[in-house]
Amino acid sequence: MSLRYAVLTLLDIEPGSGYDLKRRFERSVSHFWSASHQQMYRELHKLHDEGLLDCEEQPQEGKPDKKVYSLTDKGRAELRDWVIQPAAPQKIREPFLVRMFAGHHLSQEELRSALNDQLHRHRGLLEIYQEQNERVLKSDPALQERYWLAHQTLLLGIEAEKTWVNWAENMLQQLEQKCEESS
């Protein structure tokens, strides 16, 4: 996948400015796809130049005009063509797991610290995702219906974070057992 389709998808849901798009991206797609602010703006301009997006300038008092982007028919067609293609499963690219693979170079304390750090990070993400889920569940039923598929990606994120938390807790427990056995 490329940022191109993430941008098209977010603008298909609702037109918006580059700032709007950045905020939507951070609250949703950024949990499973990364892009910098500059990359998103470059992609917006590229998609507009290709005729996949319309851009309407809205005057603002005391500020530069706001550019609001929306999909053209050509943009919707390209998005649909991309969506109907089968997606191959991606392998996990997780630097922490490579570090764990070489973890025999760490002392027990360094390993414990690294695992606790990961546990803390994944608990934090889990909390964020669960808060987002609560907001979704409290939202207007029409919005829930409209964003049902997007919500499913959030639910998968929750399950993935629960798995990370469980794995890190089990690793810490096993590490403690190994320490006790070697004492």
Side-chain angles (χ1 to χ4, degrees), residues 20-34:
D20 297 331
L21 183 66
K22 178 184 173 289
R23 286 185 57 223
R24 271 189 246 149
F25 189 91
E26 288 170 353
R27 290 189 317 248
S28 60
V29 178
S30 71
H31 300 303
F32 47 85
W33 195 259
S34 63

Side-chain angles (χ1 to χ4, degrees), residues 35-147:
S36 71
H37 187 71
Q38 293 83 7
Q39 288 173 311
M40 289 192 354
Y41 274 97
R42 277 194 305 269
E43 196 64 42
L44 276 172
H45 294 296
K46 183 179 172 186
L47 292 167
H48 181 257
D49 290 345
E50 291 177 28
L52 302 176
L53 300 179
D54 279 330
C55 180
E56 178 186 320
E57 293 194 14
Q58 297 177 346
Q60 299 184 102
E61 185 131 348
K63 298 178 188 176
D65 291 349
K66 182 178 182 177
K67 294 181 179 181
V68 177
Y69 295 91
S70 60
L71 262 66
T72 62
D73 290 341
K74 182 178 175 184
R76 269 187 212 81
E78 178 160 330
L79 180 59
R80 185 180 190 303
D81 288 346
W82 175 75
V83 168
I84 64 174
Q85 297 299 314
Q90 297 295 303
K91 292 184 179 185
I92 297 173
R93 288 180 51 129
E94 177 55 59
F96 178 75
L97 294 179
V98 177
R99 287 188 175 104
M100 287 295 95
F101 201 75
H104 59 278
H105 292 285
L106 299 174
S107 69
Q108 296 282 346
E109 190 51 43
E110 290 169 328
L111 182 55
R112 185 180 297 108
S113 177
L115 286 165
N116 274 316
D117 183 54
Q118 280 301 110
L119 180 58
H120 176 75
R121 290 171 192 254
H122 287 285
R123 281 181 176 157
L125 283 172
L126 178 58
E127 186 177 324
I128 289 167
Y129 293 176
Q130 288 173 328
E131 288 170 0
Q132 288 176 336
N133 189 48
E134 288 300 314
R135 282 195 299 275
V136 169
L137 296 174
K138 291 177 183 175
S139 68
D140 176 58
L143 275 177
Q144 288 182 42
E145 181 62 30
R146 181 175 178 194
Y147 296 114

Side-chain angles (χ1 to χ4, degrees), residues 153-165:
T153 64
L154 174 60
L155 294 176
L156 179 59
I158 289 170
E159 292 306 314
E161 293 309 321
K162 286 179 180 178
T163 298
W164 270 103
V165 166

